Amino acid sequence: MTTPNVAIVGMGVGEQHARAFHADPRCHVIGLCDIDRARAQRLADTLGVPTVFDSFDDIAGRPDIDIVSLASFDQDHYEQVVEALQAKKHVFVEKPLCRSNTELNTIERAWITADRPALVSNLVLREAPLWRWLDEAISDGLLGEIYAVDGEYLYGRIHKITEGWRATVDDYSVFEGGAIHILDLVLTLTRQRPTKVRAQGNRIATSDTPFRYNDYVTATYEFNSGLLVRVTSNFSCVHRHHHVLRVYGTEGTFIYDDAGARLHTSRDESQNAAPIEFDPLPSSKGVLIPRFLDLVDSPSEKRVAAAEREFSLMRACLAAVDSERKETSVSIEYER
């Protein structure tokens, strides 16, 4: 395969995309795009990128661009992903992949029509050392059979929903915008897909602000195995930005919160939990890009497995959003 050319859209988080792609000798970054053209130009000058595009349409229409990396606003992901897939490009995109099942179905059809290119959402906790360790520990049976998981996404940045684009965009979901990280961890660690969800929320903390939607949402997922999982997105908490995860198994309990990660393997009150010292955060927002480039040059079946992982995650996430808005339990359908 010839060395693929990459274009990156959005120079917020996308700057880290650009730097990660630029640092990898398996690709060439040939273009950047941002609504603030001067911002994109500054980074292009720093990295030696030859082109700054005025719009995403200029990128999608370029046949010499093989990979599109999207770090645009959430509400722009869907149309840009579809347009890139229709142009038969590989796509690396910030979460969420899209914001409705109708959008997801269209993306999936476009992906199939494009002969199933690489499609990955940038859920960076997948590569954090702590969660990779926990995945191996569960696989090795260290916790026994997992019967419950409790995860919380503590955003701690209330100004980002009361000011800026999140305060004005229609149908913004804190579950799609935050809890999806925790849900992704749960699906990875348990290797199961939920079948039903009941979600509820409130906006007590932001009731006197321009933000119009629930800032706190909690969802309980049911699984065929009997496993129960609670995932919470808390955007208004008085707390630093943080993740909390408790995994309960028949042989052990793993806890990660602001006191650190530890593992309980005994019910004996005299026994202390063993501290787990791995880093809970990835090294950068571009940490998944080397694996994504592996996929670009991989057999089709690996690209299919990666994309189907994204589709399953989004269906479980969107079901929670649907449940929250309808105020009822929702069954999760994975086949469109």
Side-chain angles (χ1 to χ4, degrees):
M1 179 180 178
T2 58
T3 303
N5 292 324
V6 186
I8 295 98
V9 180
M11 294 297 105
V13 173
E15 178 176 342
Q16 296 190 54
H17 293 203
R19 292 183 181 279
F21 279 114
H22 183 263
D24 199 305
R26 294 174 294 171
C27 65
H28 295 309
V29 178
I30 68 166
L32 306 178
C33 182
D34 192 86
I35 55 175
D36 181 348
R37 197 180 195 282
R39 185 180 191 182
Q41 188 65 63
R42 286 192 296 271
L43 184 60
D45 292 342
T46 299
L47 299 180
V49 174
T51 306
V52 172
F53 293 103
D54 291 321
S55 72
F56 175 76
D57 289 341
D58 295 334
I59 292 172
R62 284 274 296 258
D64 59 334
I65 293 174
D66 307 290
I67 296 170
V68 175
S69 182
L70 299 172
S72 47
F73 295 132
D74 292 9
Q75 65 270 25
D76 296 328
H77 291 176
Y78 160 66
E79 289 186 358
Q80 292 174 349
V81 168
V82 170
E83 193 171 346
L85 291 174
Q86 288 174 339
K88 299 187 182 300
K89 303 184 189 305
H90 303 283
V91 179
F92 184 79
V93 56
E94 281 296 315
K95 54 76 189 167
L97 176 61
C98 58
R99 302 197 305 151
S100 74
N101 275 304
T102 299
E103 292 180 352
L104 185 59
N105 291 339
T106 302
I107 287 172
E108 189 171 2
R109 286 193 296 269
W111 172 75
I112 292 170
T113 301
D115 199 22
R116 298 169 173 83
L119 174 62
V120 171
S121 191
N122 193 29
L123 292 146
V124 294
L125 293 183
R126 294 173 178 176
E127 283 295 301
L130 177 62
W131 310 120
R132 296 189 70 181
W133 171 86
L134 181 58
D135 186 39
E136 291 181 10
I138 291 172
S139 295
D140 291 342
L142 190 59
L143 275 67
E145 182 178 0
I146 306 304
Y147 62 86
V149 181
D150 189 2
E152 296 178 272
Y153 183 86
L154 304 180
Y155 195 52
R157 300 165 177 173
I158 192 171
H159 66 281
K160 287 197 172 185
I161 57 173
T162 59
E163 305 168 18
W165 65 270
R166 294 176 182 85
T168 58
V169 68
D170 288 338
D171 297 323
Y172 184 78
S173 164
V174 299
F175 203 87
E176 292 171 358
I180 191 171
H181 283 291
I182 304 299
L183 181 59
D184 183 56
L185 280 181
V186 168
L187 300 189
T188 299
L189 295 171
T190 63
R191 292 174 172 78
Q192 299 180 50
R193 299 194 304 189
T195 56
K196 184 181 289 188
V197 62
R198 177 67 171 97
Q200 296 174 281
N202 65 43
R203 57 182 297 267
I204 295 170
T206 56
S207 60
D208 58 351
T209 76
F211 189 66
R212 295 168 288 159
Y213 305 104
N214 288 334
D215 55 71
Y216 175 90
V217 177
T218 186
T220 300
Y221 286 93
E222 300 177 23
F223 295 70
N224 283 335
S225 66
L227 171 69
L228 290 175
V229 169
R230 184 178 70 92
V231 176
T232 295
S233 198
N234 188 341
F235 267 47
S236 294
C237 57
V238 181
H239 198 286
R240 66 186 178 93
H241 185 69
H242 199 64
H243 309 106
V244 175
L245 193 71
R246 302 178 186 89
V247 182
Y248 299 97
T250 55
E251 301 297 329
T253 297
F254 169 88
I255 298 175
Y256 172 70
D257 55 22
D258 56 351
R262 58 258 192 214
L263 180 66
H264 294 264
T265 55
S266 172
R267 295 183 178 90
D268 187 336
E269 293 185 10
S270 67
Q271 297 294 315
N272 292 325
I276 308 298
E277 303 294 346
F278 294 100
D279 196 331
L281 297 175
S283 57
S284 77
K285 293 285 189 179
V287 70
L288 291 183
I289 285 170
R291 286 184 180 266
F292 172 76
L293 289 171
D294 288 343
L295 280 178
V296 168
D297 201 25
S298 290
S300 175
E301 59 267 21
K302 290 189 176 180
R303 297 198 300 271
V304 168
E308 288 181 346
R309 176 184 187 178
E310 306 298 346
F311 298 148
S312 291
L313 171 64
M314 283 308 307
R315 295 203 186 281
C317 179
L318 292 168
V321 176
D322 193 30
S323 173
E324 171 205 351
R325 291 172 179 169
K326 291 180 177 177
E327 299 183 343
T328 188
S329 294
V330 170
S331 294
I332 306 171
E333 303 294 336
Y334 293 98
E335 304 300 328
R336 60 181 179 85

